[in-house]
Amino acid sequence: MDHPPDKVTKDKASIKDGEIAVETETLPLYFTTNSPSNDDLFDTKDFDQVYLAKSRILSQAIDEIGFGKYQWALLFIAGFGWMSDNIWPVVTSLILSRLNEVDGVHPPDAKDAPLLTLAQNLGLLAGAAFWSLSSDIFGRLWAFNYTFLITGVFSLVAGASPNFVAIAVFNSFWSFGVGGNLPVDSTIFLEAIPSSYQWLLTVMSAWWALGQVLVNLIAWGLIANFSCSNSDEPCYKANNKGWRYLLFTMGGLTLFMFLVRFLFPLVESPGFLLAKGKEQKAVQAVHKMARYNNKISSLSVQDFCMVQPSPSNDPESQGRNTLGGATKISPLQEVLKKFNFQTIRQCFRSKRLSLSSTLVIFSWALIGLAFPLYNAFLPYYLESRGNANKPLSVYETYRNSLIVSTLGIPGSLLAGLLVELRIGRKGTLTLSLMLTGVFLFASTTAKTSNAYLGWNCAFTFVSDIMYGVLYAYTPEVFPSKVRGTAIGLASSANRVLGVFAPIIAMYANLKTSAPIFVSGALFIFAGLLTIFLPFEPRGKSSF
């Protein structure tokens, strides 16, 4: 067997007198070691040493490019995903009470109204599972674009729904697209920014809050002016166009965002390409990003070729042929290999990863049940405690929704500051989860509508901090090769538990207060769980 070379050549690009000069230099071949950098989040117990070493090289290349025009543009078009993730569940909640037409869309029975929320959650669940898992198999780029196309098309069709069954079906279809937004968008954004800018992933949740403000503002104008009043008179389709106008408007906006994404020269994630062994394409992607920033990257394929496994311990080399390449497999085996759930198994590869994955997924699941339970049971609980839930006019209802939603933006910005302080990601997540539970408990003491509005504002403020950190922490604590899958598992757990909330609301006694206090306890319990998370990404590079 031939010995590996002890030197490699590398072409190095530089700019001299306004022109690009290419120099060839000879560099020694080096081996990876079992001692990771202090700036690395993972070590060789979590993932193989060759992958970590190559990922470190790629991370340094993106750091070399810096935060330029490409990243600024991605900050906006990826932010659309956060907006969409919040816009469409809010749309469902805003139109639900307006589906009361005697000659058009209305649930078969008043108690069946939660079926629309159930249809939404089933679509979100299917979307989270499909788009996230496929993004680790086929790439981020196609999911990044076509989730918006699916959402926009089916929401426009839903605006013309003739009955309740039709809008429930179309809701599940548009939610299938929405379910893939955050798992894919957070991944593709994180894998394109320098490590020193990872805190921006937390600030991206400001787009999430902005989406809520935008949809409430539009709903305030459309539903408040083009809907039946809250009187006891029958509501007819001709007098109740507001919710349809809202669907047409938000669907058109979603298709516009799809067009913007489609026209932007986005490149496939270099991290994904490297994880798939497509090193040449990963280098090309980095160079395209650099050119967009008017810079030149020194990254080359030779940088990756210089990485060889340590001679003393190379478990990854088993199964390779004597020429150093992978054992040949048939085309059919190659296709089947993509669907062997390898990425799921790698999320639990080491003890630390197993603990991290379990706690993250379980926390998402608890939150997925806590929020819907609170929203389903609180109105009936407050109804027995004075006028905190007195009937408001359509105008007052959507005005209050707009006031509450604006609190999310400063909450997201504060989250971005806190995660870079000593309290870090874990501390901010723990504190915000527990405060969310505390303010949820406090909101049940409201005896006037203004008091409830005040508690709801505080609850929204801290919960948006929590969501901002949660949406950023999850992709940060998993490397590129399993990031989409890991986020998908967490998001799917969140959606699975969310499916049960409308079912509970349909069959349980809505006037009981127990589910509300269970919801608050779930938030506090999730906060306690996060104390035991093994990874703190602050100051670390997330490959």
Side-chain angles (χ1 to χ4, degrees):
M1 181 176 65
D2 294 335
H3 293 286
D6 59 354
K7 294 182 179 180
V8 294
T9 60
K10 176 184 177 182
D11 293 332
K12 183 179 180 181
S14 59
I15 301 179
K16 295 181 179 179
D17 299 327
E19 296 183 354
I20 299 176
V22 179
E23 301 175 356
T24 300
E25 58 180 340
T26 301
L27 300 172
L29 182 72
Y30 65 86
F31 294 97
T32 64
T33 68
N34 290 323
S35 300
S37 166
N38 290 331
D39 293 331
D40 293 350
L41 192 60
F42 311 104
D43 58 32
T44 54
K45 293 180 180 178
D46 302 319
F47 291 94
D48 69 85
Q49 55 183 324
V50 174
Y51 171 73
L52 291 178
K54 291 183 177 181
S55 296
R56 190 179 304 116
I57 292 172
L58 180 61
S59 177
Q60 292 168 351
I62 294 178
D63 287 347
E64 179 186 26
I65 294 174
F67 198 93
K69 289 193 301 181
Y70 184 88
Q71 286 74 22
W72 278 111
L74 191 59
L75 181 72
F76 282 90
I77 64 172
F80 295 163
W82 272 260
M83 285 183 62
S84 179
D85 184 79
N86 203 11
I87 281 175
W88 290 105
V90 171
V91 165
T92 300
S93 66
L94 292 176
I95 69 174
L96 186 57
S97 61
R98 301 295 100 201
L99 305 181
N100 57 347
E101 303 161 356
V102 295
D103 61 340
V105 179
H106 62 273
D109 191 275
K111 67 180 181 63
D112 295 326
L115 285 172
L116 186 65
T117 306
L118 177 61
Q120 169 192 268
N121 288 340
L122 289 173
L124 291 172
L125 170 59
F130 175 79
W131 295 110
S132 57
L133 292 175
S134 63
S135 71
D136 277 344
I137 298 174
F138 303 109
R140 328 300 200 200
L141 199 55
W142 70 289
F144 186 76
N145 287 322
Y146 291 107
T147 51
F148 270 68
L149 180 62
I150 292 172
T151 301
V153 169
F154 283 109
S155 58
L156 288 177
V157 175
S161 297
N163 52 55
F164 188 80
V165 173
I167 193 172
V169 171
F170 292 134
N171 191 323
S172 65
F173 286 167
W174 89 52
S175 296
F176 176 74
V178 174
N181 286 330
L182 272 182
V184 176
D185 295 8
S186 59
T187 296
I188 206 166
F189 180 73
L190 180 62
E191 293 171 358
I193 60 175
S195 56
S196 59
Y197 285 83
Q198 286 177 193
W199 57 273
L200 277 176
L201 192 61
T202 302
V203 178
M204 287 289 278
S205 62
W207 287 99
W208 197 78
L210 182 61
Q212 186 174 357
V213 172
L214 179 64
V215 68
N216 275 285
L217 184 61
I218 294 174
W220 190 20
L222 293 178
I223 296 183
N225 292 294
F226 298 98
S227 298
C228 300
S229 64
N230 282 334
S231 64
D232 294 332
E233 298 178 0
C235 179
Y236 292 96
K237 179 179 178 180
N239 302 323
N240 199 45
K241 299 286 188 180
W243 68 269
R244 298 180 187 270
Y245 294 156
L246 179 63
L247 287 178
F248 292 146
T249 302
M250 303 316 299
L253 177 62
T254 302
L255 287 179
F256 173 75
M257 292 190 291
F258 159 74
L259 184 62
V260 173
R261 284 188 168 193
F262 190 78
L263 295 177
F264 179 72
L266 186 69
V267 299
E268 182 57 271
S269 164
F272 165 78
L273 295 171
L274 179 64
K276 289 298 180 182
K278 301 177 181 179
E279 297 171 359
Q280 179 66 50
K281 291 185 177 180
V283 171
Q284 292 173 354
V286 171
H287 281 260
K288 288 180 181 177
M289 292 165 56
R291 284 198 298 270
Y292 203 91
N293 287 355
N294 295 323
K295 290 189 176 183
I296 294 177
S297 173
S298 62
L299 182 68
S300 71
V301 177
Q302 289 95 328
D303 290 316
F304 297 126
C305 293
M306 290 163 56
V307 177
Q308 296 293 330
S310 297
S312 60
N313 182 21
D314 181 22
E316 299 296 324
S317 65
Q318 296 179 2
R320 293 175 182 161
N321 58 27
T322 56
L323 296 177
T327 303
K328 292 183 179 180
I329 60 177
S330 68
L332 178 60
Q333 288 175 313
E334 183 65 31
V335 173
L336 294 176
K337 183 180 178 182
K338 294 180 178 181
F339 298 95
N340 65 356
F341 302 104
Q342 180 182 4
T343 54
I344 295 179
R345 293 199 301 270
Q346 288 183 341
C347 292
F348 302 89
R349 175 168 174 158
S350 67
K351 289 184 179 179
R352 277 205 313 170
L353 278 174
S354 295
L355 177 61
S356 177
S357 299
T358 301
L359 290 178
V360 167
I361 292 171
F362 197 48
S363 297
W364 276 71
L366 293 175
I367 295 168
L369 179 61
F371 257 121
L373 273 181
Y374 171 74
N375 292 330
F377 285 84
L378 185 67
Y380 299 91
Y381 175 74
L382 293 178
E383 193 172 351
S384 63
R385 298 180 63 84
N387 67 343
N389 197 44
K390 69 177 182 179
L392 300 176
S393 68
V394 177
Y395 177 88
E396 290 173 322
T397 298
Y398 292 99
R399 179 205 63 187
N400 288 359
S401 296
L402 179 61
I403 292 173
V404 171
S405 62
T406 57
L407 271 296
I409 296 178
S412 301
L413 298 178
L414 178 60
L417 172 64
L418 291 175
V419 295
E420 287 298 294
L421 301 179
R422 177 173 291 186
I423 189 174
R425 272 72 159 165
K426 287 174 53 179
T428 305
L429 184 57
T430 299
L431 181 62
S432 58
L433 273 166
M434 299 187 75
L435 284 177
T436 298
V438 168
F439 282 121
L440 188 152
F441 283 135
S443 68
T444 63
T445 65
K447 295 185 178 180
T448 66
S449 59
N450 287 336
Y452 173 60
L453 178 62
W455 285 120
N456 205 7
C457 286
F459 171 77
T460 300
F461 180 77
V462 295
S463 66
D464 273 72
I465 294 176
M466 177 270 293
Y467 268 124
V469 181
L470 184 69
Y471 285 163
Y473 179 87
T474 304
E476 280 188 302
V477 295
F478 295 98
S480 297
K481 66 191 305 182
V482 298
R483 183 168 287 136
T485 299
I487 301 173
L489 291 174
S491 183
S492 296
N494 180 273
R495 305 304 188 188
V496 167
L497 271 293
V499 166
F500 287 100
I503 297 176
I504 294 172
M506 288 170 61
Y507 294 102
N509 177 12
L510 291 176
K511 295 184 179 181
T512 179
S513 60
I516 300 174
F517 294 98
V518 169
S519 178
L522 288 175
F523 279 114
I524 295 175
F525 181 54
L528 294 175
L529 285 181
T530 59
I531 296 175
F532 302 98
L533 289 168
F535 294 112
E536 171 53 69
R538 184 174 69 91
K540 305 288 185 180
S541 297
S542 293
F543 299 148

